[in-house]
Amino acid sequence: MLNDMEIDKLSRRLRRIKGQVEGIEKMIDDHRYCVEVLQQIGAVRAALYQVGLIMLESHSRSCVVEAIKKGKEDDAITELMGVYKSLHK
Amino acid sequence: MLNDMEIDKLSRRLRRIKGQVEGIEKMIDDHRYCVEVLQQIGAVRAALYQVGLIMLESHSRSCVVEAIKKGKEDDAITELMGVYKSLHK
Amino acid sequence: MLNDMEIDKLSRRLRRIKGQVEGIEKMIDDHRYCVEVLQQIGAVRAALYQVGLIMLESHSRSCVVEAIKKGKEDDAITELMGVYKSLHK
Amino acid sequence: MLNDMEIDKLSRRLRRIKGQVEGIEKMIDDHRYCVEVLQQIGAVRAALYQVGLIMLESHSRSCVVEAIKKGKEDDAITELMGVYKSLHK
């Protein structure tokens, strides 16, 4: 469960990422050199990964801890492993 | 060097990715369950990786081949290795 | 904390991985085609990732759950996040 | 095509990696803390990735350049893209 501060921080990061994706689109339309575009794609992937880590940590510290304290650890860990794998495609 | 068909294909993919990033922002604002958001982040990273692979292949088949045929293989391969690493973040 | 069955399963996987690493060394000594060697390196990395996922799940279901039930969730999650990042190299 | 110096360098790296894999096996048998084992698994994956990059660069500078200069660029790039993807599993 994200707190308000985390929501604000993530929203700002996502707006910046959206701008970067728009930028990549424009670079391609402008026939910019492939290598520059590829570097931007790598940067956006890395930025998204950071957003994912923030979400993963917040989820672990709130929902997972709460579920475990209620004795629902099996489902909580199964879900956590699934999310970890999906973040690493 | 991207041809027109590749540019069109990539632009459509990037517009979809931009929509997905907007969607993630909305999910966070709507306090959607972290696991659903994380799955979307993984999906967008994977979609960006595919865009990167298309760019990488197009670059390799055009700019890299051309540079090698002109005898400029050293710089072309150095640049290609740099791009490999940046896309793998 | 790994149980005996997990230890046995992981030891067998690691012995196979060790054999694959020896195999790569031999392929290189035998001047085998680079592409075949690279495919083997990719396969061993993937096999190690699976070993990591088994360890990660076992750790999460035992040590992390236990720490959280003892009220030591902060350190347990901090450590877990560190492990996520190290496995993703 | 690897030259003798590259072969020697890679063989030494692979022997170190093999030792690390043996070390992980022993850590597991000795019931060492999961987090320490996971960090080692991450380190070995990273070391293998470096071996892969050395191979990939050597292959690109030799076999790929040679194939392109002989006019066989299509197959050479198709193979290169396949190897790049397999290294990033």
Side-chain angles (χ1 to χ4, degrees):
Chain A
M1 188 66 65
L2 295 166
N3 59 44
D4 287 344
M5 207 179 71
E6 285 170 328
I7 289 175
D8 186 48
K9 185 164 78 168
L10 288 177
S11 296
R12 263 181 289 126
R13 281 177 181 251
L14 286 164
R15 279 194 295 275
R16 203 178 316 138
I17 286 169
K18 198 176 73 176
Q20 286 176 295
V21 173
E22 281 166 0
I24 292 169
E25 215 188 318
K26 192 172 181 314
M27 287 173 86
I28 287 175
D29 285 342
D30 296 348
H31 295 271
R32 287 275 294 277
Y33 188 40
C34 316
V35 170
E36 292 171 52
V37 180
L38 280 158
Q39 285 160 346
Q40 267 299 94
I41 291 170
V44 175
R45 268 176 51 89
L48 269 168
Y49 184 63
Q50 292 307 317
V51 169
L53 287 181
I54 294 169
M55 284 291 312
L56 193 56
E57 183 155 7
S58 169
H59 173 63
S60 301
R61 291 194 190 281
S62 54
C63 314
V64 174
V65 165
E66 204 181 301
I68 287 170
K69 289 193 169 182
K70 287 180 182 166
K72 295 177 181 168
E73 54 262 30
D74 290 349
D75 292 343
I77 300 295
T78 301
E79 201 174 52
L80 192 59
M81 287 303 297
V83 154
Y84 176 72
K85 288 174 201 171
S86 73
L87 190 55
H88 291 113
K89 277 184 211 159
Chain B
M1 188 66 67
L2 295 166
N3 59 43
D4 287 344
M5 206 179 70
E6 285 169 329
I7 289 175
D8 185 49
K9 186 163 78 168
L10 288 178
S11 296
R12 262 182 288 124
R13 281 178 181 249
L14 286 163
R15 278 195 296 276
R16 205 179 314 136
I17 287 169
K18 198 177 74 177
Q20 286 176 295
V21 173
E22 282 166 1
I24 293 170
E25 215 186 319
K26 193 171 180 313
M27 288 173 87
I28 287 174
D29 285 343
D30 295 350
H31 294 270
R32 288 274 294 276
Y33 188 40
C34 315
V35 170
E36 291 171 54
V37 180
L38 279 158
Q39 284 160 345
Q40 267 299 91
I41 291 170
V44 174
R45 265 176 54 89
L48 269 168
Y49 187 64
Q50 292 307 318
V51 168
L53 288 180
I54 293 169
M55 283 294 311
L56 186 59
E57 184 153 7
S58 169
H59 173 64
S60 303
R61 291 195 190 281
S62 53
C63 314
V64 173
V65 166
E66 204 181 300
I68 288 170
K69 288 194 170 180
K70 285 180 183 167
K72 295 177 182 168
E73 52 262 31
D74 290 349
D75 292 344
I77 300 295
T78 301
E79 200 175 52
L80 192 60
M81 291 305 296
V83 158
Y84 283 158
K85 291 171 197 167
S86 69
L87 188 55
H88 179 51
K89 281 181 203 159
Chain C
M1 189 67 66
L2 295 167
N3 59 43
D4 287 344
M5 208 179 68
E6 285 168 329
I7 289 175
D8 186 48
K9 187 164 75 169
L10 289 177
S11 295
R12 264 180 288 127
R13 281 178 181 250
L14 286 163
R15 279 194 295 276
R16 206 177 313 136
I17 287 169
K18 198 177 78 175
Q20 286 176 293
V21 173
E22 281 165 2
I24 293 169
E25 214 187 318
K26 193 172 181 312
M27 287 172 88
I28 287 174
D29 283 343
D30 295 349
H31 295 271
R32 288 274 293 277
Y33 190 40
C34 316
V35 169
E36 292 171 53
V37 180
L38 280 158
Q39 285 160 345
Q40 267 298 95
I41 291 169
V44 175
R45 266 177 53 89
L48 269 168
Y49 187 64
Q50 292 307 317
V51 169
L53 289 180
I54 293 169
M55 282 293 312
L56 186 59
E57 183 152 8
S58 170
H59 173 63
S60 302
R61 292 195 189 281
S62 54
C63 314
V64 173
V65 165
E66 204 182 300
I68 288 171
K69 291 195 168 180
K70 286 181 182 166
K72 296 178 182 168
E73 53 261 31
D74 290 349
D75 293 343
I77 301 294
T78 301
E79 200 175 52
L80 193 60
M81 290 305 297
V83 160
Y84 283 156
K85 291 169 196 168
S86 68
L87 189 56
H88 179 52
K89 282 182 202 158
Chain D
M1 187 66 67
L2 296 166
N3 59 45
D4 287 344
M5 209 179 68
E6 285 169 329
I7 289 176
D8 186 49
K9 187 165 76 169
L10 289 177
S11 296
R12 263 182 287 126
R13 283 178 180 250
L14 286 164
R15 278 196 294 275
R16 207 178 311 136
I17 287 169
K18 199 175 78 177
Q20 286 177 293
V21 173
E22 282 165 0
I24 293 170
E25 216 186 316
K26 193 173 181 314
M27 288 172 87
I28 288 175
D29 284 342
D30 295 349
H31 295 271
R32 288 273 294 277
Y33 188 39
C34 316
V35 171
E36 293 171 53
V37 180
L38 280 159
Q39 285 160 347
Q40 266 299 92
I41 291 169
V44 175
R45 266 177 51 90
L48 268 168
Y49 185 62
Q50 293 307 318
V51 169
L53 288 181
I54 293 169
M55 282 293 312
L56 193 56
E57 182 155 7
S58 170
H59 174 64
S60 301
R61 292 196 189 280
S62 54
C63 314
V64 173
V65 165
E66 204 182 302
I68 289 171
K69 290 193 169 182
K70 285 180 183 167
K72 296 178 182 168
E73 54 261 31
D74 290 350
D75 293 343
I77 300 295
T78 301
E79 201 174 52
L80 192 58
M81 288 302 297
V83 154
Y84 177 70
K85 289 175 201 169
S86 71
L87 190 56
H88 291 112
K89 279 186 211 157

